Amino acid sequence: MHVKIGVMAIQGDFREHKQMLQSLGVEVVEVRLPKHLEGLAGLIVPGGESTTIGMLAREYGLERAVRERVQEGSLALWGTCAGAIWLAKEIPQYPDQPRLGILDIAVERNAYGRQVDSFEEDLHIKGLDRPFHAFFIRAPVILRVGEGVEVLATHHDEIVLVRSGKVLAGTFHPELTHDSRIHQMFVGLALS
Ligand code: GLN
C-alpha cells in the first residue's frame, strides 16, 4: 500500500529517520514548511535540540499547521527525544519553551544528568515480541501522562514510550538502530 510520511527537517537527525522509512518502502518528504504537509499520512519529529526545533517550527508556521492536522485526525505524529519534548503539553522547567504541546505528558529535559547522559538498554515494548535495543542521548524523562495516554514502554520505572490515538512519543532513538519495528508500528498508525 502506498503511504507518504514526512520527516521534520529543520534540525536534528532527520536523515536517519528518512533512511529507515525508505528501507520500509515508504515515500518520504522532508518537511520545512506547511505546504510540505500536503498528502502526508504521518510526520516524524526527530531528535536534536528541542529549543531550536520549537523556535523555527513556530517561525515557519509549521507549529500551527501540524496542530490543525493532528487535531482533525488526518495526520499521525511521532516525536523522538527532542521531538517528544516538542509534542509535550508541559515542560515544568521551561514553561515558555515554544512547542506544539498537544500530547498530555509532562517532560523533564536532560533528565539523566551529565554523568550518564547517554546509554543503551534493551526495552520491552507493548506490541513487540522481542526486546528493542534503545539508545538514549541526553534524553528527557516523561514525568507524567494524562488520561488517554497509554504507556508502551518503561526503563527502570521511567516512562520512555507512549501513545495517544495516532500520536507516539519516545525518549530514545530507534532511527539509530537497524531495527525498524517502531517505524513499522508508526506507519501502521498512519494508515489506520
Ligand atoms: N537534550 C535535547 C533537548 O533537550 C534532546 C536530546 C535529543 O534529542 N537527543 O532538546
Side-chain angles (χ1 to χ4, degrees):
M1 189 179 207
H2 186 74
V3 60
K4 214 157 100 174
I5 303 278
V7 178
M8 201 188 273
I10 291 180
Q11 193 266 338
D13 71 337
F14 57 88
R15 291 175 194 86
E16 287 79 0
H17 275 294
K18 190 176 168 185
Q19 281 163 10
M20 187 69 102
L21 289 168
Q22 283 170 337
S23 79
L24 296 174
V26 168
E27 184 183 342
V28 187
V29 176
E30 291 190 4
V31 173
R32 296 187 178 84
L33 293 169
K35 66 178 182 192
H36 301 146
L37 296 172
E38 216 167 286
L40 297 185
L43 175 70
I44 297 179
V45 185
E49 178 53 48
S50 61
T51 44
T52 308
I53 292 174
M55 282 188 308
L56 293 176
R58 184 163 287 182
E59 195 176 312
Y60 299 163
L62 263 182
E63 181 191 305
R64 178 181 301 188
V66 170
R67 190 179 289 122
E68 274 172 19
R69 294 281 315 275
V70 175
Q71 282 172 345
E72 74 189 20
S74 63
L75 186 71
L77 186 64
W78 176 19
T80 58
C81 206
I85 297 168
W86 189 63
L87 266 55
K89 188 166 167 185
E90 268 184 73
I91 313 173
Q93 295 159 294
Y94 306 103
D96 298 328
Q97 180 171 324
R99 61 188 181 279
L100 187 68
I102 57 167
L103 179 62
D104 190 7
I105 59 174
V107 299
E108 181 184 339
R109 293 178 57 195
N110 302 318
Y112 296 95
R114 292 223 176 112
Q115 302 305 316
V116 279
D117 59 5
S118 301
F119 56 96
E120 30 191 297
E121 195 78 45
D122 282 337
L123 300 177
H124 293 279
I125 295 177
K126 248 188 218 177
L128 301 185
D129 54 359
R130 282 175 292 107
F132 191 96
H133 194 69
F135 292 95
F136 293 83
I137 305 168
R138 304 191 67 231
V141 158
I142 299 173
L143 301 167
R144 173 190 74 70
V145 299
E147 226 171 280
V149 180
E150 183 187 9
V151 175
L152 298 181
T154 56
H155 164 255
H156 296 323
D157 294 335
E158 234 110 46
I159 300 166
V160 296
L161 183 66
V162 300
R163 184 180 79 93
S164 172
K166 285 163 69 140
V167 179
L168 262 187
T171 60
F172 54 98
H173 291 270
E175 73 284 7
L176 301 181
T177 67
H178 295 288
D179 189 338
S180 61
R181 288 178 294 163
I182 305 180
H183 285 80
Q184 284 173 39
M185 189 192 281
F186 180 66
V187 172
L189 271 184
L191 287 170
S192 68

